Every structure is written in C-alpha cells, then in structure tokens.
C-alpha cells in the first residue's frame, strides 16, 4: 500500500504548555495582599515581566516567612524509615541559613525565599516550589541546597541583594538623565565593538592589558580607535569614564557575549519551532583538561532542508552515561526542550572508555600496599596516540601501554560483557585475546627496547646546533646498540 510522501513529514502537535504571561496585559496586583505563606504563593514566572521586580522587592523587604513559637507548637511527623516523630525547630531561623529559610504552617515544609523569587523557567528545585520536609537530616539538605559559591542559590541571593540597592535600581538611574545618557553611550560602544569581534572570530583579551602595555588586546585597542574617530564617544569612554563604570571589564565582555549567544539560540529555537529533532553529543576536554560535552540539534526546517545547529558546551564532572544524562536533562530544562520530541541520539563513547581506564587505575593503586606517596607520584595516565612524524611519541605510547596493561585488559573484559552492540563485544574479545598472546607481549618489549635506543638519537638530531659529523657518529653508535 503506497503512502503519500508528505505523510512522513507530518508535524506532531506541540505539547500542551502553559502560555507565557509576557504577551498578555499585566493584571493589577496589590502588593500588600501578596500571600505570606510560601505554600500559597503563585510561581514567580506566572506574573507579568513588568511586575516581577516590584513583587520580588516587596518580598525581600518583608523578609522570609518565619512564624515564631515554641518548638512544641509545631506538628510532629514520621520521617523516613524511623519510628521517631520529628518536627521543625524555630531555632533554625537564628542559624547560618536564617537569611533565606522559610516555614509554611499550612504545608509543614521549609522553602527558600531567594530561589523562589529568582527561579528560572524549567528549573526543578523543591525548596523553590513544593517545599521540603527534612527534619531528620536538615543540615545535610540545607548544605546541598546552598551548594558552592557559583550555585544557583548563591546567584539568587546576589540578585536579591543587588535588587535592593537603590543606586542600582532603574528609578535611581532615571532620576539622572545625563548619567543615563553617558552610560548608554559606553554600553552601546562596547556592544557594537563586541559584535564586530564576534563576527570576525577575534579574541577580546590581550596578554598584558596594563596601562604600560604596547597592545592591550583587541577590545581595548579598538575602543581607542573609536575614541580617535568620534569625539562625542571619546568624552565618555576609557579614561574619561568613571573607574567603576567603564564597561571594559572582562566580566562585562562576557556578559555581552552571553547576550549575543542568547539571541542566536533564540533564532535557532524559533527555526526549530515545535518540531522533532535528533540529539548529537560529543564528549571532549577543554585546554584546562576539564570534561565537557558539545551539544548539537539536527532537524528539518520548514523548507525541508536538514540543519545542524550547535547550541552550547556543557561542563560535566565525568563522561559516564549517568553524568551525561543528568547534564542533558538540565540543559533541556533550561532551554524548555522536551525529551519527547527527540527522534534520534548520537554519542561519541571514546571518553567513556577513558573514564573506565582511570577508575581501574585508582582501584589498582588502592589495592597496592607498596604505593609511594608524594608530590608528582601516582598521577592519572591515559593511552596516548602516536604522532606521524615524531618517533618519541611511539615510545611514549608503548610505555603507557606497559604501565596500564592490567587496566586495559580489565576494561576490555568489561566491554566484552557490558557493551550493547555485538560488534563492540566481538572487537573487545579479539583485542583481549591478542594482547594476552606471547607474540604481542614479545613484540611489545622488543619495540620498547628499540624505540628506547632510537629515541636518544631522535632527540639529538632535533638540536639546532647539531653538526653533520656528530650526527653520523650518533647514527653509527645507535646501530651498534640495536
């Protein structure tokens, strides 16, 4: 039975998602009537964008909801598998988490004021939504929620503090039209310059950006050119601007670049619409050896052309399946993407084997009672790829393989039993059998000896001050050693 080809490209209806309040007219809200109990509050995202800051400021000035009373006034609850009844303790208000901790009498749960006020779309945090009952291990849960210095909670606290600073509020700026004009000129100049550098793929920063430097980087030097070309701009930028508002700091440059990135992503997601797509993920490391993954969406646009759009790099602690899945879930939640629209997935699993190799090394070190502890000892190693032109890299590869031989065999055994694809199981079994053979071990030690001798010759011949007679003698002596 033949089908019309157009039936294969029929688009599925988009999921039922609550429409954003940004396109509707703002409803009149009486700030004094905003609910006090955290369990009765509407999500901050449900308010109109023009009203959110006033609502946030009202809640911040009120402070967290902290009903007082004796400990015995709060209800008891069975938590976990314990038979012991536990309850909220109002003494927690006076401890280190008291600046954000809220308690709902109605729900008998705790909440975070700052995370509720600055919760991002799609973010999942019980402290900002349904609340948490953690009376049996409250310190552990509180510390996990607060996180490290760059956690969402700490960023939300900083946003709240900035919002309450009168000098940084919009009404304060509007009271000074001349300062507002100068600020806009500086900001517009930095934005236009950043746009040009991004379009050309040019670096912003310089090696030395001090006043005495001959070249302080593209961003600063091009600003100087702007000042020479336009006298009006020159009055308000660089040395003529206040030192705390020059709009040239690295953090300002990054913020401008992030704004451009968000605009590009906005266009990509508009191009994608509500259609289905495939997910391509490639694991790699940056220059500082931190694990990261690049994410690409592959889809068919409205004109029927296949598009592949890069949407960002996500840093991960490790490249195991669980870690990657968690990072992808977080990225999808942040970008309001639905996993139900994914029609295909592609991954580069090479670095998963690298993770297994490092884990095997750690286990062997833990079992070895003769391990020497000290600076520089017991460093993590990986199998290196030999270069095409440098023979010394071949020796390094063989030395690493000899050192990691038990770990490599263990990883191959794991792949043979745990791989999903039959071809991967077959390849792991074949490699394992070959590496355990006498022929492989003999050749491995033979080539290690030969390359160890020739490596000295390679290093000597690469010296710039080497003369031809000495080089011939080195070749002759190397032949004799082999």
């Amino acid at each position: 039975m033949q089908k019309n080809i157009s039936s294969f490209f029929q688009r599925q209806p988009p999921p039922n998602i609550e429409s954003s309040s940004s396109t509707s007219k703002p409803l009149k809200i009486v700030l004094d009537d905003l609910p006090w109990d955290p369990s009765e509050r509407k999500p901050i995202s449900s308010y109109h964008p023009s009203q959110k800051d006033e609502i946030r400021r009202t809640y911040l000035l009120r402070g967290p909801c902290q009903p007082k009373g004796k400990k015995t006034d709060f209800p008891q609850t069975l938590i976990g598998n314990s038979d012991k009844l536990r309850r909220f303790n109002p003494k927690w208000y006076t401890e280190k988490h008291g600046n954000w901790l809220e308690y709902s009498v109605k729900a008998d749960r705790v909440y975070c004021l700052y995370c509720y006020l600055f919760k991002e779309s799609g973010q999942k945090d019980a402290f900002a939504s349904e609340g948490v009952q953690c009376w049996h291990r409250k310190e552990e849960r509180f510390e996990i929620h607060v996180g490290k210095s760059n956690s969402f909670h700490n960023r939300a606290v900083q946003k709240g503090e900035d919002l309450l600073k009168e000098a940084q509020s919009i009404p304060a700026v509007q009271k000074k039209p001349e300062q507002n004009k100068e600020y806009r000129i500086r900001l517009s100049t930095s934005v236009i310059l950043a746009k040009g550098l991004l379009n050309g793929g040019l670096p912003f920063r310089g090696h030395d950006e001090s006043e005495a430097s001959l070249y302080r980087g593209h961003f600063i030097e091009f600003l100087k050119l702007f000042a020479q070309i336009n006298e009006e701009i020159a009055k308000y930028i660089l040395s003529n601007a206040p030192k705390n508002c020059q709009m040239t700091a690295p953090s300002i440059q990054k913020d401008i670049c992030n704004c451009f990135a968000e605009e590009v992503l906005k266009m990509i997601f508009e191009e994608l619409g509500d259609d289905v797509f495939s997910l391509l993920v490639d694991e790699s490391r940056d220059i500082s050896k931190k694990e990261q993954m690049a994410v690409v969406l592959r889809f068919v646009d409205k004109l029927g052309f296949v598009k592949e759009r890069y949407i960002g790099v996500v840093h991960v602690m490790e490249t195991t399946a669980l870690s990657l899945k968690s990072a992808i879930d977080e990225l999808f939640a942040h970008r309001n993407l639905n996993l139900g629209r994914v029609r295909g997935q592609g991954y580069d699993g090479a670095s998963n084997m690298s993770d297994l190799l490092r884990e095997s090394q750690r286990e062997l070190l833990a079992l070895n009672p003769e391990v020497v502890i000290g600076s520089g000892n017991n460093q993590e190693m990986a199998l290196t790829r030999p270069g095409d032109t440098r023979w010394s890299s071949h020796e390094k590869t063989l030395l690493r393989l000899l050192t990691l031989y038990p770990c490599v065999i263990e990883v191959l055994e794991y792949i043979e039993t745990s791989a999903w694809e039959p071809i991967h199981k077959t390849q792991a079994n074949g490699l394992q059998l070959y590496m355990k053979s006498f022929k492989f071990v003999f050749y491995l030690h033979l080539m290690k000896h030969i390359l160890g001798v020739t490596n000295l010759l390679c290093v000597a011949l690469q010296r710039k001050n080497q003369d031809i007679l000495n080089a011939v003698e080195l070749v002759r002596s190397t032949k004799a050693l082999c």
Side-chain angles (χ1 to χ4, degrees), residues 204-218 220-221 224:
F204 282 54
R205 306 290 305 281
H207 178 68
D208 181 6
E209 294 187 352
S210 64
E211 294 288 344
S213 175
L214 295 177
Y215 195 84
R216 300 172 62 190
H218 290 344
I220 301 295
E221 295 299 329
K224 291 181 182 178

Side-chain angles (χ1 to χ4, degrees), residues 307-341:
K307 298 290 182 67
E308 290 186 356
R309 296 295 188 227
Y310 165 80
I311 64 169
V313 170
V314 180
H315 286 277
V316 292
M317 295 300 294
E318 54 185 359
T319 55
T320 58
L322 287 177
S323 179
L324 293 180
K325 181 182 181 300
S326 175
I328 291 171
D329 287 342
E330 185 177 345
L331 176 65
F332 272 41
H334 180 61
R335 297 298 177 189
N336 290 327
L337 296 174
N338 189 348
L339 280 171
R341 294 163 58 191

Side-chain angles (χ1 to χ4, degrees), residues 89-339:
N89 190 343
K91 186 180 69 173
W92 298 341
Y93 296 148
T94 60
E95 297 177 355
K96 61 180 179 179
H97 302 298
N99 66 320
W100 58 263
L101 183 65
E102 296 188 293
Y103 176 77
S104 167
V105 175
K106 182 178 179 180
D108 189 30
R109 290 172 178 266
V110 291
Y111 298 79
C112 175
L113 174 62
Y114 290 98
C115 292
Y116 160 73
L117 294 178
F118 297 96
K119 180 183 178 184
E120 298 172 352
S121 177
Q123 183 184 6
K124 297 178 180 178
D125 188 347
F127 280 89
S129 52
E130 66 268 19
V132 177
Q133 269 190 341
C134 53
W135 318 147
H136 59 310
R137 49 192 183 96
K138 67 96 179 175
E139 194 63 34
E140 177 187 351
R141 290 297 302 273
F142 288 0
E143 289 296 334
I144 292 174
H145 171 70
V146 171
K148 297 182 180 179
S149 58
N150 197 37
S151 67
F152 172 76
H153 170 86
N154 287 312
R155 295 199 306 271
V157 172
Q158 185 61 51
K159 289 178 182 177
E161 293 174 354
D162 292 342
L163 188 62
L164 289 179
K165 292 179 181 177
E166 181 65 23
Q168 296 181 3
S169 64
I170 293 176
V173 175
Q174 290 177 342
K175 294 175 185 177
K176 305 173 183 177
E178 185 60 32
Q179 291 183 0
N180 193 16
K181 175 189 173 184
E182 296 174 4
Y183 175 82
R184 286 184 176 275
I185 290 175
R186 285 191 291 271
L187 178 60
S188 300
T189 305
S190 295
V191 169
I192 293 171
L193 177 54
K195 181 180 179 181
L197 293 175
L198 288 171
N199 282 336
L202 300 174
F204 282 54
R205 306 290 305 281
H207 178 68
D208 181 6
E209 294 187 352
S210 64
E211 294 288 344
S213 175
L214 295 177
Y215 195 84
R216 300 172 62 190
H218 290 344
F219 192 87
I220 301 295
E221 295 299 329
F222 286 3
L223 271 181
K224 291 181 182 178
L225 289 178
F226 273 37
Q228 294 176 10
I229 296 170
N230 192 314
E231 294 181 358
E232 186 67 21
I233 292 178
K235 296 177 183 178
Y236 306 113
I237 65 173
L238 297 174
S239 59
N240 293 329
K243 289 187 176 181
N244 63 344
C245 189
Q246 293 190 349
M247 308 302 291
T248 59
S251 58
I252 298 294
Q253 297 176 29
K254 289 182 179 179
D255 286 343
I256 294 173
C257 291
N258 288 335
C259 289
F260 279 115
E262 290 298 323
E263 288 298 313
V264 172
L265 288 171
K266 180 181 177 182
M267 295 298 295
I268 292 174
F269 294 131
E270 286 179 359
E271 184 181 30
L272 174 62
D274 296 318
D275 208 348
V276 297
F277 57 89
S278 293
L279 178 67
L280 304 177
V281 176
D282 186 17
E283 308 105 306
S284 62
R285 291 186 181 185
D286 60 13
I287 194 171
S288 62
K289 305 298 183 185
K290 290 182 180 178
E291 295 288 357
Q292 60 185 9
M293 65 177 188
V295 182
V296 175
L297 300 184
R298 180 183 174 92
F299 58 93
V300 179
D301 68 6
K302 296 177 176 64
L303 298 177
F305 294 102
V306 177
K307 298 290 182 67
E308 290 186 356
R309 296 295 188 227
Y310 165 80
I311 64 169
V313 170
V314 180
H315 286 277
V316 292
M317 295 300 294
E318 54 185 359
T319 55
T320 58
L322 287 177
S323 179
L324 293 180
K325 181 182 181 300
S326 175
I328 291 171
D329 287 342
E330 185 177 345
L331 176 65
F332 272 41
H334 180 61
R335 297 298 177 189
N336 290 327
L337 296 174
N338 189 348
L339 280 171

Side-chain angles (χ1 to χ4, degrees), residues 18-46:
E18 183 181 355
S19 60
S20 173
S21 60
S22 60
T23 57
S24 59
K25 292 183 179 180
L27 300 174
K28 185 177 180 181
I29 295 176
V30 181
L31 297 177
D32 292 338
D33 293 341
L34 290 172
W36 175 244
D37 192 290
S39 65
E40 298 178 349
R41 298 171 185 164
K42 295 195 303 182
I44 197 70
S45 59
S46 65

